[in-house]
Amino acid sequence: RRRPQPHQWITKRNFHTCRQSRSHLRLRKQPTETTPGTCTPRIMQCNQISATAYNKNRDIIVTADTGEDSMIVVWDVNSGTPRKTIFNPHPEGVLALDINADGTMIATLSKANTPTDQWVTLWKWEEEEACFITAKMDEKVDCMQKFIKFNHNQNEFATTG
């Protein structure tokens, strides 16, 4: 029987991001004088976390996972609560993501079995209909893409395998 790996804590003010074994993520409020000895889970991504990004201008963390019932969650770092949850962003989940410099758009790269089954999606996460544009990977791409990154010019991004 495998023993669970120890938690890895990343602190930001009085909230912690907890990376548990199998890469599950939940934000917990650190115990305070008003709530002695308690930790309140906010939300939990049930699949393996496959991608994260932080935007210092908006003070948000974006997480995504792969697998059944995958999701993208935009977390408010100060309160530890989700600001937006996007359910089933891609059929098999998100392999990679990035957030632009002003924190208004998220680019995701889908997990897939073949390069031609991969999709790239831009999300305007603050809008009601978050999906802005989505496109299938070009047939000329002959290897699986694994990374996506916005340029400092907020209208450009690149993928690489």
Side-chain angles (χ1 to χ4, degrees), residues 69-133:
D69 298 322
S70 65
M71 65 178 79
I72 298 169
V73 183
V74 179
W75 300 92
D76 183 297
V77 173
N78 295 313
S79 69
T81 57
R83 293 189 53 194
K84 177 79 168 196
T85 302
I86 302 168
F87 295 100
N88 298 311
H90 297 287
E92 294 184 42
V94 176
L95 183 63
L97 68 79
D98 196 22
I99 189 164
N100 68 346
D102 69 2
T104 59
M105 294 185 75
I106 299 167
T108 60
L109 185 61
S110 71
K111 181 181 177 189
N113 293 323
T114 65
T116 56
D117 290 337
Q118 278 192 299
W119 290 79
V120 174
T121 304
L122 290 178
W123 307 88
K124 289 187 175 183
W125 67 271
E126 293 175 297
E127 295 184 7
E128 184 77 24
E129 281 295 317
C131 183
F132 176 60
I133 191 168

Side-chain angles (χ1 to χ4, degrees), residues 3-150:
R3 300 184 80 177
Q5 297 176 2
H7 300 297
Q8 296 174 354
W9 296 94
I10 303 167
T11 61
K12 176 69 177 176
R13 295 192 180 109
N14 72 332
F15 284 86
H16 295 269
T17 302
C18 173
R19 183 177 178 269
Q20 296 180 327
S21 62
R22 303 178 128 224
S23 299
H24 295 312
L25 177 90
R26 65 173 91 164
L27 293 186
R28 293 184 172 191
K29 187 172 182 180
Q30 181 182 29
T32 63
E33 292 177 15
T34 58
T35 57
T38 61
C39 287
T40 307
R42 301 293 187 203
I43 193 170
M44 185 172 182
Q45 286 180 267
C46 296
N47 299 312
Q48 182 175 3
I49 301 295
S50 55
T52 61
Y54 172 70
N55 182 279
K56 65 181 177 180
N57 295 328
R58 302 287 291 274
D59 223 9
I60 55 176
I61 295 173
V62 182
T63 61
D65 58 16
T66 59
E68 193 174 319
D69 298 322
S70 65
M71 65 178 79
I72 298 169
V73 183
V74 179
W75 300 92
D76 183 297
V77 173
N78 295 313
S79 69
T81 57
R83 293 189 53 194
K84 177 79 168 196
T85 302
I86 302 168
F87 295 100
N88 298 311
H90 297 287
E92 294 184 42
V94 176
L95 183 63
L97 68 79
D98 196 22
I99 189 164
N100 68 346
D102 69 2
T104 59
M105 294 185 75
I106 299 167
T108 60
L109 185 61
S110 71
K111 181 181 177 189
N113 293 323
T114 65
T116 56
D117 290 337
Q118 278 192 299
W119 290 79
V120 174
T121 304
L122 290 178
W123 307 88
K124 289 187 175 183
W125 67 271
E126 293 175 297
E127 295 184 7
E128 184 77 24
E129 281 295 317
C131 183
F132 176 60
I133 191 168
T134 189
K136 196 168 186 177
M137 196 60 67
D138 192 293
E139 292 177 6
K140 296 175 186 172
V141 177
D142 62 352
C143 67
M144 191 70 70
Q145 300 298 289
K146 297 178 184 172
F147 303 98
I148 191 164
K149 185 74 177 158
F150 273 102

